[in-house]
Amino acid sequence: MIAIPVDSASIDAKSSKLFGNVKMFAIYKPTEDAFFFIQNKESGNGINTAKLLKKWDIKSVVYSYMGNGPFSELNKDEIDVYYIGKEPMGLSDIVKKIGEDSFIKVDADNASTYLDPGTSSQNCECT
């Protein structure tokens, strides 16, 4: 399953920019070619948000802005992390591009290039 941060529970939603502050995730289930939406009860804390995705049995997550704390947690839990760029994108476009290997898979070797918490201080503000 693929987790996409979104601001609304709509199939027409676009990806949200901030990973840790997102209110919900669109979850794509490839076996059913369908989306469902789950509230992020850990909104405001990127590390706890990452831990929540593990509980949901997520295998991949996409992001625009993410700090090192959430990334490290996802990486530890062997959840694939994909950078999709800074601009919001439609859900079906994201799923299509993941299938085409069009996004950058972020790992320990390239994380310093692709991680950006999206805060004014440029530091992860996870508690």
Side-chain angles (χ1 to χ4, degrees):
M1 291 194 295
I2 303 166
I4 303 167
V6 294
D7 295 319
S8 65
S10 167
I11 195 68
D12 296 324
K14 291 192 178 224
S15 59
S16 180
K17 288 188 175 187
L18 295 178
F19 173 82
N21 289 330
V22 72
K23 300 291 184 207
M24 66 186 56
F25 283 90
I27 308 298
Y28 178 71
K29 195 169 188 178
T31 57
E32 297 176 14
D33 190 28
F35 289 96
F36 61 96
F37 298 87
I38 299 179
Q39 182 181 5
N40 177 14
K41 294 181 181 181
E42 298 296 341
S43 180
N45 185 311
I47 294 171
N48 286 345
T49 295
K51 289 177 182 179
L52 189 61
L53 294 178
K54 175 68 173 178
K55 290 178 185 176
W56 293 340
D57 199 30
I58 298 299
K59 302 299 181 204
S60 302
V61 65
V62 301
Y63 78 96
S64 292
Y65 291 93
M66 180 186 290
N68 190 57
F71 170 76
S72 295
E73 191 66 34
L74 293 165
N75 196 40
K76 179 183 83 173
D77 289 334
E78 299 180 352
I79 296 173
D80 292 335
V81 179
Y82 294 93
Y83 173 70
I84 63 171
K86 301 295 185 201
E87 293 305 314
M89 184 178 289
L91 301 181
S92 58
D93 288 339
I94 291 170
V95 169
K96 178 182 176 195
K97 289 186 178 207
I98 284 178
E100 296 171 347
D101 254 353
S102 296
F103 295 130
I104 295 165
K105 185 175 179 183
V106 181
D107 57 29
D109 293 332
N110 64 8
S112 63
T113 302
Y114 294 104
L115 292 180
D116 176 353
T119 62
S120 58
S121 68
Q122 293 300 305
N123 292 311
C124 187
E125 296 174 356
C126 301
T127 54

